Amino acid sequence: GAFACVAFGLWGGCAIGFITEYYTSFSYRPVVEVSESCRTGAATNIIFGLALGYKSVVLPVFILAGIIFGSHRLAGMYGISLAALGMLATLATCLTIDVYGPVCDNAGGIAEMCELHPSVREKTDALDAAGNTTAAIGKGFAIGSACLVGLALFGAFVTRLSAEGGITTVDLLDPITFAGLLVGAMLPYWFSAMTMKSVGMAANAMVLEIKRQFDANPNLLIPNHPDRPDYDTCIKISTDASLQEMIAPGALVMLSPVLCGVCFGTRCVTGLLAGGIASGIQMAISSSNTGGAWDNAKKYIGKGGLNDLIARVEPDVVNELGDVKQKKSQIYKAAVTGDTVGDPLKDTSGPALNILMKLMAIISVVFAELFMAVNQGGGLIGPYVAAAPKVATAAELLLMNTVAMPAAAPAVVGSAVAGPTTIFAVFVGGALLGMGALAAGQRAAKPSASTIKSVSLTEPLLVARAAGIESTPFQGAARPAAC
């Protein structure tokens, strides 16, 4: 049984890798369809890419469900842990193919900066396209193993609670458990929104810094000029953003189970973990594959995969010798837009969701004793919300009738529970408190209204946003007075 569980994880991971390759390599039809959709602009490219990412979730989720069911039937939660171990058995290979992509990408950038022959850039682009696929395969292994590891840690959390005298099973019909499930399913979206916005803000700051350098020294635009750009400032912008902007997402992941357990009890934490794993696994696969598909769709057009279509639709990009300048076409520009949107998905939000699934579970295991110390696992709201009632089964009702229980006996046995209004009010109050604190912190970090007005009158919206002034209306140049 143990060997079969390990084999389930090993071969299931390989299957997920092959499925990821199918959806992210331009050797197969899905990515070619995405590249062909660029003919009608960036919007249809975005639509096709998102659809590809959502569709790529189907088979991996079925595979993971089969692994979980089969492993649990053979060896319980221990079998699921063995399946995760089997999926991680290819760790050395996964690390190798993960490193391959960035190396090829940087090689292409160096070739372009050094102004090497275009044929060199064509070779590095082909290697980079393969690197995008290998990176997506490695992320598929990592996401699948994160799901299994998170589920195993979830089982360890429930086991530790039962050892401390707490719950022994998870009941999704319990209102507070289901409420936690909904909140947990929301967390990957909140986390992804924070990470993607951080990437956008850092990109804005980088673009403005580059523009400032070009304006300050126009010689930088002259090829082979001895003046060099200020690379250190650009690197500092990227490094500072990567450290500072991750504080809030990291706090969200670490504090969510702690606050949930202390305030609402262990039953709510079990729902939170279940929702986070179920939602995070699907969003991580979708984000990773969507970004990889958009990147390779651009590579496919750049290597000449749609030259016939470009020559027919945009004849102005064909030179006298009949060569198609793909990178000057509107089709290629639409593909670049998709690639720009996909980069934070496949390089930031998607891989980071693995951490969300595992870290929430391990923090819950570590703080299980603290949760149990607060009203025996009931949380701060424990005194106000009684335990969930026990719903009588058909066999129990039949037994009740046998012992001459009145026909009008209720089907619910046990103490009454506080009404749904109480639970709803507690959750809404906590949500409003959290959102209010977040909004107050963001507002405290922003300049005053007078500063916003003065900046928006003199700078375009992009400059205002990069300076930390968001949601300010764009003030166009003042119109000349009428004569």
Side-chain angles (χ1 to χ4, degrees), residues 73-87:
R73 290 283 292 179
L74 291 175
M77 294 303 297
Y78 178 64
I80 294 176
S81 303
L82 291 177
L85 182 64
M87 194 171 290

Side-chain angles (χ1 to χ4, degrees), residues 3 39 43 96 136 148 211 214 285 311 347 366 392:
F3 177 80
R39 175 180 179 177
T96 301
L148 298 178
K211 182 179 182 299
F214 284 155
I285 295 175
D347 296 330
V366 172

Side-chain angles (χ1 to χ4, degrees), residues 50-77:
L50 290 175
L52 180 148
Y54 296 153
K55 191 176 181 180
S56 68
V57 173
V58 177
L59 290 178
V61 167
F62 276 125
I63 291 172
L64 288 172
I67 293 173
I68 292 170
F69 178 78
S71 300
H72 193 275
R73 290 283 292 179
L74 291 175
M77 294 303 297

Side-chain angles (χ1 to χ4, degrees), residues 379-407:
L380 296 178
I381 67 169
Y384 309 101
V385 181
K390 178 183 177 183
V391 180
T393 64
E396 290 172 339
L397 289 176
L398 182 61
L399 181 61
M400 292 176 187
N401 292 332
T402 304
V403 295
M405 179 169 283

